[in-house]
Structures are given as C-alpha cells and as structure tokens.
Amino acid sequence: MNQIKIGRSSACDVVIADANSQVSRLHAIIEIRNNQYYIIDQSTNGTFINGIAIPNNSTLPINNGDIISLADEVTVSWLDITHLLPLQNKRETEVFKKENNAHTFSNPTIIYASWGSRLGAYILDCFFIGIIFAILFLGVGVYFAIDNNNLLEDLILYTYGILFIIIWLYYAILESGSNQGTWGKQIVKIKVVDVSTNTPITFAHSTGRFFSRLIIGFIPLFNLLDYLAPLWTIKKQTWHDNMSSCAVIEKH
C-alpha cells in the first residue's frame, strides 16, 4: 500500500465519524512519493494544513508536525498516517495491523451546540447575572445611603460600572476555565472551544469573544441577528463566534 484514503466512507483506510457530515465520504488521499508524504484533497468542504486551505484536487507535501484538518473541523493525527503508511526507512514492527481493512479515527465526534441549547444557557446566565445585579445594587445602595445627597446618580453609576466588570469576568474566566463554559452552559452541557483546533480557549481569547459580542450589540438589529445566526451557519456559530474564531459544542 503506497496510499491511504481518509473520509466518512467505511471503505476508507482512516474512517472519520462526523455527525455534522462536513467531512466528505472520500475527503483526502495521502501517499508516498520518493520517501515524502503528500496529501491530495478530494473534498467538498476543504482540507487545511496548519490552518491554510489546500486548493481543491491539488497535491501538497506534508511533514511531521503539520496539523491536518478536514473541513476545518476534524484533526487527523500524524500517527494515523505513519502507522498505516510508513516510510521505507521505518521498521516493520512500527506498522499497526488494520482490522477489517479499516482504521477507525480515534478523535471524539464534534457536535455543535444547537440554537435551543445556546438559548437555554443564555437565559440561565441572565438569571445568574440578575441575582448578582440585585445583590450588588442592594450593597452599593446601602453604602451610598449614608449622608449622600446624590444617592440615585451615584448608585446607578457605581452599580453599572462594577456590574460591567463582573459580567466580563464571569464570561472570560468561566469560558477559559476547566469547564469551558459559564454556569448556564455547564447546566445544558455545552462548552466554548477554538474553532480551528477544538481545544479550550485562553482568558485573552475569551475576552476577545466577550467584546466582539459587545461591539455587535451596539449596532441596531445586529444583536438579534447575531443570536439567530446559529440557525443557518454551518458550525452553528454566532457572528461573535466567527469574529473571535470560537465555536460552541456539546460536551461528551
């Protein structure tokens, strides 16, 4: 065998379980030429090497350390390639035997969170933030009630200023934390990931996502369209997800 086929079809050497059907039945072919690996794109939704799309039906050399992404959704392990298609200078003992002439891809299936799940998480987060607001409003009110002629003005100014910081930290810390989601997202079992790698996002990344949503919210009507966008986008992303290169997926 001097080539391996990758795709959703059971006839492929590396079979991809893709619940979103973004990976083609025959997505890509990897072969050896002159002791060098090459990848040939055969897909509908694209093959990406280190985040850069390969032109359709074109051939590109690949090397150890390259990140191979199918449909910008599923990442292929380099071991899947070298175990099934060893170079000539590899020992025979390094080759894994295939069962039933197919090697099942080991990465977990990525299922993007539904609009309903995201709406449920949003409502829960609003509830939690509402409780925080009520406690904060009461606390600041008691503090300024003592000998303050401008109580209402100071109460609004300080309460909303502090609340803005709390909401930012609520999203930024929890979405970049070990659970990868706010309390609302944790309850409905969804999490935020980097859309390119499906890995957890950093605090800075989460902060960028928060302020992307804030910027969109300042534009009339765009805020509504932003939250409705998962109903028609391929990866069920909002506009602020796209702006910050994030996605929301179901927890396994």
Side-chain angles (χ1 to χ4, degrees), residues 126-143:
C126 287
F127 172 74
F128 293 130
I129 291 172
I131 293 176
I132 295 172
F133 175 79
I135 295 172
L136 180 63
F137 192 83
L138 180 62
V140 174
V142 171
Y143 177 80

Side-chain angles (χ1 to χ4, degrees), residues 112-121 224 226-231 236 238:
Y112 296 106
S114 67
W115 182 79
S117 295
R118 298 188 63 156
L119 177 62
L224 175 62
D226 177 41
Y227 281 100
L228 292 177
L231 292 171
K236 300 179 181 179
T238 58

Side-chain angles (χ1 to χ4, degrees), residues 67-83:
I67 299 174
I68 304 169
S69 178
L70 311 180
D72 201 17
E73 178 167 331
V74 178
T75 303
V76 176
S77 167
W78 185 258
L79 291 177
D80 282 318
I81 299 170
T82 54
H83 287 157

Side-chain angles (χ1 to χ4, degrees), residues 84-113:
L84 292 173
L85 190 63
L87 295 173
Q88 293 178 3
N89 58 3
K90 295 286 184 180
R91 291 178 300 171
E92 190 69 23
T93 54
E94 293 179 325
V95 183
F96 281 4
K97 293 183 179 180
K98 294 186 293 177
E99 296 180 2
N100 300 324
N101 198 36
H103 174 76
T104 303
F105 189 62
S106 57
N107 271 16
T109 301
I110 302 299
I111 301 177
Y112 296 106

Side-chain angles (χ1 to χ4, degrees), residues 152-203:
L152 183 60
E153 180 181 341
D154 289 340
L155 185 61
I156 294 174
L157 177 63
Y158 281 90
T159 298
Y160 279 96
I162 297 172
L163 183 64
F164 175 81
I165 296 174
I166 290 176
I167 294 175
W168 159 52
L169 293 176
Y170 173 81
Y171 281 96
I173 292 176
L174 291 178
E175 290 183 349
S176 62
S178 58
N179 290 310
Q180 298 175 248
T182 58
W183 294 336
K185 289 184 177 69
Q186 292 176 44
I187 291 173
V188 301
K189 299 186 183 304
I190 58 178
K191 61 183 180 180
V192 181
V193 297
D194 185 301
V195 72
S196 300
T197 61
N198 295 320
T199 56
I201 60 176
T202 64
F203 178 82

